[in-house]
């Protein structure tokens, strides 16, 4: 938690009110974004994303599993987040555990949509190998190395980059077997399928400070917020998920306005992220 004096609080809020933040940005401008892919060789895909002073790593591990009885035609995805105590002293103990759970739940909502699967950014059907028998289980792990605000957006960007970097082995399934038997599978060591990330959204968090809202808030700015709404938007401009934190309530008309702003901001963010991921992938291939 950032402790600001009364004068510093007025300085932060006054700058936002005048559309000139303490680091010189406008209200709807992001800090520089840096992406590196393939940072964890043992994973099927991985990426590191830095947004200003916030630094996170995401990795994707694919394992053979069995579809759930409720969704026999889909694979499974699980998201786990670890907030390192070295990133922020308050991450030690219960504080870090609670934040990790909160971030994981928010990412799950933003990436996988509602309980019905509507708005899902990851197509779970694409992870199916044999209906009711065999599927891919994707384990997405995020690690917060350094924290200077806007963790959710940074983790969302890192997961998107890691999924772009993900290669899943091709699987051949044996001939038909009895209903109560598991089919034999052959996992290729040479042939891989690139994970389709065309529908994976980016997350834009709008943080309300005073009467205005900003994107990519720093820790100092987050300490002065009344509430924050995180909206995940895909390439087609569709809303995949929405989550809110902070005690202050928001009028529905304000949330609709926030969604409209998030869609506008997403276009630039998606373009920037695409170019950074492409550059990172090209750099990884060269090395």
């Amino acid at each position: 938690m950032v402790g600001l004096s009364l004068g510093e609080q007025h300085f932060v809020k006054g700058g936002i009110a005048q559309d000139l933040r303490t680091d010189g940005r406008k209200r709807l401008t992001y800090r520089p974004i840096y992406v590196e892919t393939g940072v964890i060789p043992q994973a099927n895909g991985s990426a590191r994303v830095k947004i200003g002073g916030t630094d996170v790593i995401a990795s994707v591990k694919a394992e053979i599993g069995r579809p759930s009885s409720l969704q026999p035609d889909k694979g499974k995805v699980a998201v786990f987040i670890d907030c390192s105590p070295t990133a922020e002293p308050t991450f030690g103990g219960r504080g870090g555990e609670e934040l990790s759970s909160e971030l994981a739940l928010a990412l799950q909502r933003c990436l996988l949509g509602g309980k019905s699967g509507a708005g899902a950014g990851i197509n779970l059907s694409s992870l199916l190998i044999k209906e009711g028998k065999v599927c891919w289980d994707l384990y997405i792990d995020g690690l917060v190395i350094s924290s200077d605000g806007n963790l959710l957006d940074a983790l969302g960007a890192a997961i998107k980059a890691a999924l772009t970097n993900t290669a899943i082995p091709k699987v051949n399934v044996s001939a038909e077997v009895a209903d109560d038997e598991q089919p034999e599978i052959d996992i290729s060591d040479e042939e891989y399928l690139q994970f389709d990330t065309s529908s994976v959204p980016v997350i834009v968090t709008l943080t309300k400070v005073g009467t205005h809202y900003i994107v990519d808030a720093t820790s100092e700015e987050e300490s002065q917020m009344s509430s924050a709404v995180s909206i995940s938007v895909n390439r087609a401009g569709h809303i995949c998920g929405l989550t809110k934190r902070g005690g202050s309530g928001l009028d529905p008309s304000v949330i609709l306005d926030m969604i409209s702003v998030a869609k506008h901001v997403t276009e630039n963010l998606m373009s920037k992220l695409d170019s950074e991921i492409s550059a990172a992938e090209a750099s990884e291939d060269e090395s």
Side-chain angles (χ1 to χ4, degrees):
M1 182 62 69
V2 178
L4 298 180
S5 68
L6 201 57
E8 288 171 325
Q9 291 177 29
H10 286 310
F11 183 65
V12 169
K13 291 178 179 177
I16 290 170
Q18 295 178 43
D19 201 14
L20 183 62
R21 293 155 74 175
T22 53
D23 54 10
R25 288 182 292 150
K26 291 184 176 293
R27 285 194 286 262
L28 300 181
T29 305
Y30 272 78
R31 291 169 289 181
I33 299 174
Y34 165 81
V35 178
E36 183 183 357
T37 56
V39 293
I40 303 177
Q42 302 90 334
N44 292 84
S46 60
R48 181 177 188 172
V49 168
K50 296 178 185 177
I51 302 180
T54 294
D55 190 354
V56 300
I57 289 178
S59 68
V60 180
K61 191 72 177 168
E63 295 184 1
I64 294 292
R66 184 165 188 163
S68 71
S69 55
L70 297 174
Q71 294 182 314
D73 59 341
K74 294 179 180 177
K76 302 192 291 290
V77 174
V79 180
F80 303 95
I81 303 298
D82 181 21
C83 294
S84 169
T86 57
E88 175 72 44
T90 55
F91 290 172
R94 286 186 60 86
E97 290 174 13
E98 288 173 4
L99 180 61
S100 296
S101 300
E102 183 185 321
L103 288 168
L105 183 60
L107 286 162
Q108 196 100 7
R109 283 180 185 153
C110 289
L111 293 170
L112 301 177
K115 289 182 179 178
S116 64
I122 297 176
N123 181 10
L124 297 180
S125 299
S126 68
L127 299 174
L128 185 70
I129 298 171
K130 178 78 173 175
E131 185 168 346
K133 299 283 187 181
V134 188
C135 70
W136 283 110
D137 289 346
L138 285 192
Y139 295 96
I140 299 174
D141 289 285
L143 173 65
V144 177
I145 301 171
S146 175
S147 172
D148 185 22
N150 203 27
L151 285 176
L152 193 61
D153 293 22
L155 285 164
I159 289 171
K160 183 177 175 66
L163 287 169
T164 304
N165 184 243
T166 296
I168 296 179
K170 194 172 182 181
V171 176
N172 294 314
V173 183
S174 63
E176 292 296 321
V177 294
D179 289 343
D180 58 343
E181 292 181 19
Q182 280 291 98
E184 290 186 14
I185 57 172
D186 177 36
I187 303 173
S188 174
D189 291 330
E190 298 175 353
E191 290 187 83
Y192 289 85
L193 302 172
Q194 210 63 31
F195 192 82
D196 179 17
T197 58
S198 57
S199 298
V200 177
V202 292
I203 301 172
V204 174
T205 298
L206 291 162
T207 305
K208 194 165 188 285
V209 179
T211 57
H212 301 277
Y213 33 83
I214 56 175
V215 299
D216 189 22
T218 63
S219 294
E220 285 186 349
E221 291 168 336
E222 285 182 345
S223 73
Q224 302 306 303
M225 77 173 196
S226 56
S227 59
V229 174
S230 299
I231 303 156
S232 58
V233 186
N234 66 15
R235 200 175 297 279
H238 297 147
I239 305 297
C240 298
L242 188 148
T243 182
K244 176 189 171 294
R245 60 192 168 93
S248 175
L250 289 172
D251 189 88
S253 62
V254 174
I255 292 179
L256 289 173
D257 186 44
M258 283 180 152
I259 290 172
S260 176
V261 171
K263 283 185 174 183
H264 171 69
V265 171
T266 294
E267 293 177 16
N268 294 329
L269 179 60
M270 187 80 78
S271 175
K272 173 66 176 169
L273 204 52
D274 283 345
S275 64
E276 285 292 323
I277 291 171
S278 298
E281 292 278 86
S283 175
E284 186 191 350
D285 290 340
E286 286 173 9
S287 59

